[in-house]
């Protein structure tokens, strides 16, 4: 085994240009054969009303609107003709009041990094983009509480709070583009969930605008508040279907003083599972990320980026990060764990990165997977949670099932949280390939009592499969809640809940 040494990991501030294969993106409505809901169509008078509200912060030129119509993974294309960019909660309220009175459907868009088609229009919905609402309103350095607008980019917030001795309670590879409001609306998980828990615990309050323009002030900054139902929880993970989040208060964990990253290879998935269990038992109190990748994933990243695999080819790789308050203590614990795992034959080869460049290179292998997939071809992206015992079996089954149509099939993910990302890459948008994956994968996941979406949400792509993870009674109650908050169904139609023609 190569020498294990320790290092300080600083936050990666990599910003990547989006590059992708040149395959045309099909129109969502046509490709998925969706019938348009009974909504009004945007007229010149509507555009005048929007202009009166937001001034010049509106886009109507097709070339300007185009990026808002196409999703990050280039699977979906909407047909909107107008993007409105409010600057205040009041403006959001006026826009929604008008849309509600006119029966105009809307889609809220943050950084448009969502992976299930929640953020792009299906037909001609009005796009309400939050990017101009990007002010930090306050940072309480005594209590560690941030209050900011929903359009703040996650990475900007991370850098800002880090200078004050805190970190954001979430981190994900889309941080350079995703917005905190979008993170809340999708209840984003990411690589630090195992350490800091989900946004349901870290968001203390929010301001939300309801479909009819009502402003709901839930912007508490208290950690504890048991006065009635905790309404903000309903908006976390609601994917823009219940209201538009405009401001949030968030609990900030203190910035760890010491961070270490280890990258190791394993010969079997059984050994990967044992590494997970052993690391939780031996270094659980400082563990901040526990990720795994198969060799197909690592191969694809090295094929499409300048990054190189620092270890020999092996079926599986595990990335472990620790974050604590005493580097010597953390380093010692990590080294003890690595030594034990190596002696027990769980690890084939490994390294602890020794400088920031190497740390970023190791994290890059994991964080630049989406970029590599987009360069390879058309991505069929899945996100499921499973008991660890069944975790990798489905990747092998899927690889076999689609091998005659797919370019590659890979598995990676937040193994510390039981969250697998299964991805198939093909050379085109193929309904035949899609039909081989779905609903087979969802049936299999439901059979093992997993979730068909532990992270990315249901959005447009998975809404009809909600019954695979929720009972009929639960979905009926969700539909009732939707009707209460949005009686005309103008907020993000065709998303999250199953839609009927
Ligand atoms: P968008 O994509 O713009 O919107 C997502 C959904 O939220 C849509 O339904 C939209 O209507 C709604 N929405 C957006 N803003 C608001 C608002 N202010 N009020 C109400 N509704 C709103 N996700 C994870 O969970 N974990 C990961 O590790 C992860 N890694 C990723 C890595 C890459 C490279 C990429 C491209 C994506 C990744 N994602 C991950 C998915 C995505 O980044 C998250 O879902 C993110 O939280 C979306 O934020 P956004 O601002 O881009 O929202
Ligand atoms: C990740 O963990 O990298 C994201 O959830 C994106 C993906 O599923 O590829
Ligand atoms: Zn993920």
């Amino acid at each position: 085994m190569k020498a294990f040494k320790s290092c300080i990991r600083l936050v990666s501030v990599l910003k990547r240009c989006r590059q992708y294969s040149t395959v045309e993106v099909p129109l969502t409505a046509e490709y998925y054969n969706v019938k348009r809901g009974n909504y009004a169509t945007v007229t010149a008078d509507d555009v005048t009303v929007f202009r009166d509200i937001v001034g010049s912060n509106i886009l109507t030129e097709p070339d300007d609107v185009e990026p808002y119509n196409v999703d990050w993974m280039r699977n979906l294309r909407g047909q909107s003709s107008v993007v409105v960019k409010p600057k205040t909660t009041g403006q959001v309220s006026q826009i929604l009041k008008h849309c509600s009175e006119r029966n105009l459907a809307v889609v809220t868009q943050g950084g448009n990094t969502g992976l299930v088609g929640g953020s792009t229009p299906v037909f001609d919905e009005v796009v309400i983009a939050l990017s101009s609402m990007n002010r930090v309103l306050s940072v309480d350095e005594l209590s560690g509480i941030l209050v900011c607008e929903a359009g703040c980019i996650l990475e900007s917030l991370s850098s800002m709070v880090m200078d004050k001795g805190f970190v954001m309670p979430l981190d994900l590879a889309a941080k350079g583009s995703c917005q905190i409001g979008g993170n809340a609306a999708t209840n984003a998980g990411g690589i630090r969930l195992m350490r800091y828990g989900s946004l349901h615990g870290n968001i203390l309050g929010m301001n939300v605008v309801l479909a009819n323009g009502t402003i709901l002030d839930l912007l508490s900054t208290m950690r504890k508040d048991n006065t009635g139902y905790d309404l903000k929880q309903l908006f976390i993970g609601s994917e823009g279907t219940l209201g538009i989040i405009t401001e949030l208060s968030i609990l900030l964990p203190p910035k760890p003083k010491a961070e270490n990253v280890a990258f190791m290879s394993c010969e079997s998935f059984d050994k990967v599972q044992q590494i997970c269990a052993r690391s939780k038992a031996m270094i659980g109190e400082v563990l901040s990320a526990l990720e795994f990748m198969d060799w197909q994933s690592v191969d694809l990243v090295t094929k499409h980026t300048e990054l190189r695999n620092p270890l020999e080819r092996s079926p599986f790789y595990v990335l472990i990060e620790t974050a604590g308050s005493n580097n010597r203590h953390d380093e010692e614990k990590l080294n003890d764990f690595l030594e034990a795992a190596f002696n027990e034959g769980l690890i084939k080869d490994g390294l602890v990165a020794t400088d920031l460049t190497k740390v970023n290179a190791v994290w890059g292998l994991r964080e630049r997977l989406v970029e590599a997939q987009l360069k390879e071809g058309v991505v069929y992206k899945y996100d499921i949670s499973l008991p660890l015992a069944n975790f990798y079996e489905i990747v092998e089954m899927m690889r076999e099932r689609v091998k005659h149509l797919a370019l590659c099939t890979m598995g990676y993910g937040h193994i510390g949280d039981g969250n697998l990302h299964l991805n198939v890459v093909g050379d085109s948008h193929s309904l035949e390939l899609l039909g081989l994956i779905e609903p087979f994968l969802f049936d299999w996941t439901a059979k093992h009592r997993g979730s068909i979406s532990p992270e990315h949400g249901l959005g447009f792509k998975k809404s009809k499969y909600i019954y695979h993870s929720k009972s009929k009674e639960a979905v009926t109650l969700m539909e009732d809640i939707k009707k209460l908050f949005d009686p005309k169904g103008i907020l993000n139609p065709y998303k999250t809940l199953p839609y009927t023609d």
Side-chain angles (χ1 to χ4, degrees):
M1 181 168 60
K2 288 174 191 145
F4 279 106
K5 292 186 199 148
S6 66
C7 71
I8 304 291
R9 168 169 157 78
L10 300 177
V11 155
S12 149
V13 286
L14 300 178
K15 280 204 173 89
R16 306 272 156 215
C17 297
R18 279 171 76 189
Q19 286 176 13
Y20 26 74
S21 72
T22 50
V23 180
E24 270 289 295
V25 183
L27 279 180
T28 309
E30 285 176 7
Y31 193 74
Y32 290 93
N33 195 17
V34 188
K35 188 163 168 265
R36 188 178 180 280
N38 195 17
Y39 301 104
T41 304
V42 176
T43 63
D45 286 349
D46 294 315
V47 173
T48 304
V49 173
F50 295 144
R51 261 189 224 289
D52 286 347
I53 299 169
V54 298
S56 58
N57 236 7
I58 182 168
L59 306 174
T60 50
E61 287 299 320
D63 281 355
D64 296 337
V65 175
E66 161 80 6
Y68 297 82
N69 270 319
V70 178
D71 75 316
W72 191 275
M73 296 310 295
R74 299 186 59 78
N75 286 150
L76 304 163
R77 181 187 294 279
Q79 302 164 57
S80 183
S81 58
V82 58
V83 179
V84 194
K85 297 176 157 190
K87 283 191 170 149
T88 63
T89 300
Q91 289 183 356
V92 175
S93 163
Q94 290 177 60
I95 295 163
L96 281 185
K97 188 167 183 296
H98 176 75
C99 291
S100 170
E101 282 163 7
R102 282 271 298 120
N103 196 32
L104 289 170
V106 306
V107 55
T108 308
Q109 196 171 104
N112 196 14
T113 66
L115 298 172
V116 286
S119 52
T120 41
V122 175
F123 290 94
D124 54 349
E125 295 89 289
V126 174
V127 177
I128 302 180
L130 273 287
S131 50
S132 298
M133 292 193 65
N134 57 1
R135 281 166 298 191
V136 173
L137 303 175
S138 65
V139 185
D140 176 343
E141 295 188 35
L142 270 183
S143 314
I145 294 166
L146 162 73
V147 183
C148 66
E149 290 182 331
C152 291
I153 303 279
L154 178 60
E155 189 169 71
S156 313
L157 292 175
S158 291
S159 313
M160 187 274 297
V161 301
M162 200 166 286
D163 288 344
K164 299 180 186 300
F166 298 98
V167 289
M168 292 300 288
L170 82 163
D171 187 8
L172 52 155
K175 55 182 164 270
S177 299
C178 66
Q179 300 174 4
I180 193 68
N183 298 148
T186 55
N187 187 25
I191 51 185
R192 302 272 150 62
L193 186 134
M194 68 177 303
R195 179 61 176 270
Y196 300 123
S198 96
L199 288 177
H200 280 291
N202 292 306
I203 292 179
L204 301 178
M206 58 175 68
N207 266 332
V208 187
V209 182
L210 300 180
N212 63 4
T214 302
I215 298 172
L216 193 59
D217 182 351
L218 304 169
L219 197 60
S220 166
T221 51
M222 296 297 115
R223 283 200 76 167
K224 298 178 84 174
D225 175 14
N226 280 349
T227 50
Y229 306 130
D230 190 357
L231 293 176
K232 69 172 182 292
Q233 298 297 350
L234 275 176
F235 298 96
I236 301 173
S238 66
E239 301 183 279
T241 61
L242 295 182
I244 299 186
I245 302 164
T246 55
E247 291 166 16
L248 302 105
S249 58
I250 299 167
L251 195 58
L252 304 173
K255 182 179 150 190
K257 292 196 175 63
E259 291 172 312
N260 296 290
V261 176
F263 187 54
M264 56 212 89
S265 58
C266 304
E267 269 159 345
S268 70
F269 192 72
D270 183 51
K271 291 186 177 175
V272 173
Q273 292 178 53
Q274 290 182 54
I275 289 179
C276 288
R278 287 290 265 147
S279 61
K280 283 183 180 174
M282 283 185 73
I283 51 171
E285 77 279 16
V286 286
L287 204 54
S288 57
L290 181 47
E291 299 283 321
F292 107 102
M293 289 177 275
D294 59 14
W295 71 257
Q296 289 83 350
S297 305
V298 176
D299 259 24
L300 197 74
V301 178
T302 53
K303 176 176 171 188
H304 288 293
T305 69
E306 75 290 357
L307 296 172
R308 291 293 151 254
N309 181 356
L311 304 180
E312 278 166 25
R313 182 157 168 165
S314 191
F316 300 102
Y317 299 89
V318 177
L319 191 162
I320 283 182
E321 187 192 75
T322 63
S325 57
N326 180 328
N327 197 34
R328 221 177 49 204
H329 167 262
D330 296 357
E331 230 183 284
E332 204 176 295
K333 290 210 80 162
L334 180 63
N335 286 335
D336 285 351
F337 158 71
L338 293 169
E339 204 177 309
F342 186 65
N343 289 338
E344 286 166 33
L346 304 181
I347 300 173
K348 190 173 142 202
D349 193 6
L351 62 86
V352 175
T354 51
D355 58 53
L356 184 60
T357 315
K358 281 196 188 127
V359 168
N360 282 337
V362 170
W363 265 115
L365 290 171
R366 171 65 184 85
E367 293 194 316
R368 293 177 67 184
L369 267 160
V370 173
E371 176 191 340
Q373 290 163 353
L374 278 167
K375 288 180 185 163
E376 178 76 0
V378 173
V379 189
Y380 299 73
K381 182 166 275 304
Y382 297 93
D383 164 39
I384 56 179
S385 65
L386 286 168
L388 221 47
N390 308 106
F391 204 78
Y392 199 71
E393 200 185 332
I394 185 63
V395 181
E396 285 166 334
M397 280 164 68
M398 188 62 75
R399 188 171 287 135
E400 187 57 27
R401 192 175 163 84
V402 300
K403 65 177 184 212
H404 56 296
L405 291 177
L407 299 174
C408 56
T409 300
M410 69 205 76
Y412 56 91
H414 318 289
I415 194 164
D417 310 322
N419 184 176
L420 171 71
H421 294 316
L422 193 168
N423 288 253
V424 175
V425 186
D427 60 7
S428 61
H429 294 98
S430 157
L431 287 173
E432 191 187 352
L433 180 50
L434 188 67
L436 275 179
I437 306 171
E438 302 177 14
F440 169 80
L441 174 65
F442 302 133
D443 291 342
W444 195 89
T445 306
K447 197 175 104 192
H448 291 86
R449 298 193 65 79
S451 166
I452 64 155
S453 184
E455 273 206 329
H456 300 160
L458 295 168
F460 171 77
K461 286 189 178 170
K462 296 190 201 164
S463 59
K464 69 176 175 188
Y465 295 113
I466 191 171
Y467 295 105
H468 282 70
S469 288
K470 289 288 178 315
S471 69
K472 199 167 147 292
E473 293 74 18
V475 177
T476 303
L477 192 55
M478 289 185 206
E479 285 167 341
D480 290 345
I481 291 169
K482 168 76 177 168
K483 275 185 213 134
L484 183 69
F485 280 76
D486 178 19
K488 293 184 171 178
I490 61 163
L491 291 178
N492 223 358
Y494 327 104
K495 316 280 174 65
T496 310
L497 296 175
Y499 54 89
T500 41
D501 290 344

